[in-house]
Amino acid sequence: MRLVTAAVVAALSLLAAASAFAAPAGRTKLNGNRPAWAKSAQRTGDVSSNEQIDVAVFLKWRNSADLDSFAAAVSNPRSAQYRQYLTPAEFRARFSPSQADVDAVSSWLKSQGLKVTGTPDNRHWVNATGTATDVTKAFGTTLGTYKYRGGEHRAPDSEPSAPTSIAGLITAVTGLEDGDFVTPSAAPPAGFVNAPPCSSYWAEKLATDKPKAFGKTQPYAPCGYDPAQLRGAYGTTAAVAGGNDGSGQRVAIVDAYAAPTIEQDTNTYSSRHGLPPVKLSQVWANPNLDNANGVPACGGANGWYGEETLDVEAVHGMAPGANIVYSGAASCYNNDMLAAVTRILDGGLAQIVSNSYGNAGEGGSAQEAQAEDDVYKQAAAQGIGIYFSSGDSGDEAANLGHPEADFPATDPWVTAVGGTSLAVGQSNSYLFETGWGTGKSSLVNGAWSPAPPGAFQYGAGGGTSTLFAQPGYQSGVVPSSLSSSSGTAMRVVPDVAADADPNTGMLVGETQTFSKRNVAYGEYRIGGTSLASPLFAGIMALADQAAGFQHGFANPALYAAYRTSAFRDVRPSNGKLAVVRNDYANSIDASGGVATSLRSLDHDSSLSTASGYDNVTGVGTPNGASFLAALSGR
């Protein structure tokens, strides 16, 4: 497992950058810290000299080569060191930067007029804040605004630099650019109600009053599967009923901000769906405010409340006895999200971490990716499994203009969870799964338009990384047609999958704002790989309990079970599966009209479901008792 060298990435991505000049005497350029999207042709102006900017200077781990080999060994079931994890204190003593190095970087930042605001327990980075004038002075680069992802974002005009005396300590400088924020993989609108008719289980109700598609009458979409249906489909009903319900296991969830009604909502949901009260603890930072208007950054906090609700209720539904820790980030910016993950690692708060967010592609700087990669190595060394949604925009071509897999799911030290469309039968039985990729056709003048499968709407993320080389656990499993399209074997995502299709998604419940006078609890169907990740994390809590140990970074163990009964191989459909779905135009009731559409299954951009490993569903979905037995070594 290795990161393609930052020098290679920087050379490929920064040819047009205005950074060809040598650093001033006594300073060293910090190459790889300018994002590839900051091209001179896209520059629109200068950043205001008074703009307040938060930066983080990441320091290198000590004994980094030793960390690579150690993290790999404790995660490999075939290694004599398997599961000999470190405590947070042991990790810091062995691999964290020294306090002297932290002090040296902090002193320099202060000397440049920046205010040092803290460092985490693992001493991995130093936070500082100051005006744009202070920042440009400190890092020897001007800051400009650039067109990117449909807006204007800040980025350095050249590679930053630092005094040569400390430059060798630094991995990355983040915060100079603000274009690489994360988005939740699915977040519901305020006040959402499923429009009838919908099915209690797959094909309960057929749309006989609507046009046929693919030569036959299609079913109405499920109303949303409840926890019992999902446990039945994934074969864990008997385990949970027998006490293998996640008891004693600790699962963390990371999102931005924190829903004020999450515990109340989850307990209301639990009482309605036969679950025990949730064992939930919450830790979060004060929200970072947008300096322009004093509201939480990234478009506000309430857009993330539904994401937190989905994540908590999905984990609780699959592992009702597990302890859930919610770690809320101060904003959706990468630094704050990474701080929320690190809080869990440094405190030893959980053994499994589910993250339902990601960047659109791998567009951040190479050194920022390296800094995050270091955090996920820490998790592996401490026996903590990190799970990331693979994304909800297929190959991202619609957003980026070209196919690109999403980071951090592409990092080789995390488990990327892709998505399926799941059919659950009347008795909570597993009927079938296929890859999640939705083609949408609207009902227009009595016909489906465009003709089925319609226009690509959304689907599971996946694809081949441009940053990370192929990890050993994927060798011999991932087809070379996927991993080596560039001539070099690279990391491919996802690793595994679970239900993600919003049209076959989970029923969740939360307090919603339906009008100024009506704030109430309601339930609705939702999906996205932000459903798949916590579903899989909940099943891993069952696997940890069944095995009697925490699996930590599980990819080596998961790939070792490839092509066994532990996984269901998600195969391509016949291309003729679909559901009919009604939606209220105003999201709440029929007063504004109802829109009817056909949602065709298994049409995921340029990604495709295939027999064996594929870039939509990875090695497959967990197969109940066989999965738990395989992960237990039985």
Side-chain angles (χ1 to χ4, degrees), residues 4-192:
V4 175
T5 62
V8 172
V9 177
L12 292 174
S13 61
L14 302 177
L15 290 177
S19 57
F21 302 102
R27 295 177 69 92
T28 297
K29 288 173 62 176
L30 304 173
N31 289 322
N33 280 283
R34 187 170 187 250
W37 50 263
K39 302 180 185 299
S40 57
Q42 301 300 314
R43 197 178 191 278
T44 59
D46 299 328
V47 170
S48 169
S49 61
N50 294 323
E51 181 174 336
Q52 197 74 20
I53 296 175
D54 297 327
V55 297
V57 180
F58 283 81
L59 280 65
K60 297 177 180 178
W61 292 135
R62 286 182 295 128
N63 310 315
S64 59
D66 182 28
L67 174 58
D68 287 356
S69 59
F70 178 82
V74 297
S75 305
N76 186 351
R78 298 179 179 178
S79 167
Q81 287 182 277
Y82 184 44
R83 297 191 288 110
Q84 295 181 18
Y85 307 128
L86 300 178
T87 66
E90 289 170 339
F91 180 88
R92 290 192 289 272
R94 187 166 172 180
F95 297 115
S96 284
S98 69
Q99 187 61 50
D101 289 345
V102 171
D103 292 343
V105 171
S106 298
S107 295
W108 167 65
L109 290 169
K110 292 175 183 177
S111 74
Q112 302 302 296
L114 295 170
K115 178 182 178 182
V116 172
T117 56
T119 188
D121 289 348
N122 65 1
R123 302 188 294 274
H124 191 201
W125 67 84
V126 178
N127 290 314
T129 188
T131 65
T133 297
D134 297 329
V135 170
T136 57
K137 173 187 174 185
F139 295 102
T141 179
T142 54
L143 302 174
T145 55
Y146 294 80
K147 293 180 181 179
Y148 178 57
R149 290 172 63 177
E152 291 190 357
H153 295 278
R154 180 182 69 240
D157 292 322
S158 61
E159 290 284 16
S161 64
T164 301
S165 59
I166 63 169
L169 305 176
I170 298 172
T171 297
V173 179
T174 63
L176 299 180
E177 56 93 0
D178 66 355
D180 293 305
F181 53 89
V182 300
T183 55
S185 292
F192 186 87

Side-chain angles (χ1 to χ4, degrees), residues 178-322:
D178 66 355
D180 293 305
F181 53 89
V182 300
T183 55
S185 292
F192 186 87
V193 177
N194 291 340
C198 56
S199 299
S200 298
Y201 53 87
W202 179 263
E204 177 204 20
K205 298 177 181 178
L206 299 179
T208 55
D209 59 335
K210 298 297 185 289
K212 293 182 178 180
F214 306 116
K216 63 181 181 180
T217 300
Q218 298 293 342
Y220 277 106
C223 305
Y225 297 132
D226 66 21
Q229 289 176 295
L230 291 166
R231 291 196 303 270
Y234 287 120
T236 61
T237 299
V240 170
N244 189 175
D245 60 355
S247 293
Q249 314 309 304
R250 298 166 298 152
V251 181
I253 291 164
V254 175
D255 287 315
Y257 310 114
T261 61
I262 182 61
E263 187 167 12
Q264 170 190 326
D265 289 343
T266 304
N267 283 331
T268 299
Y269 183 82
S270 297
S271 68
R272 291 189 178 193
H273 295 284
L275 298 171
V278 66
K279 302 171 185 175
L280 177 67
S281 58
Q282 301 184 73
V283 290
W284 61 84
N286 291 328
N288 280 341
L289 300 182
D290 184 323
N291 291 322
N293 53 27
V295 302
C298 316
N302 60 357
W304 284 78
Y305 292 172
E307 183 63 62
E308 181 185 353
T309 299
L310 170 62
D311 293 352
V312 171
E313 291 177 358
V315 170
H316 185 52
M318 298 308 287

Side-chain angles (χ1 to χ4, degrees), residues 182-183 202 273 344 400 403 444 534 580 584 622 629:
V182 300
T183 55
W202 179 263
H273 295 284
I344 297 165
L400 301 176
V444 180
V580 175
Y584 293 130

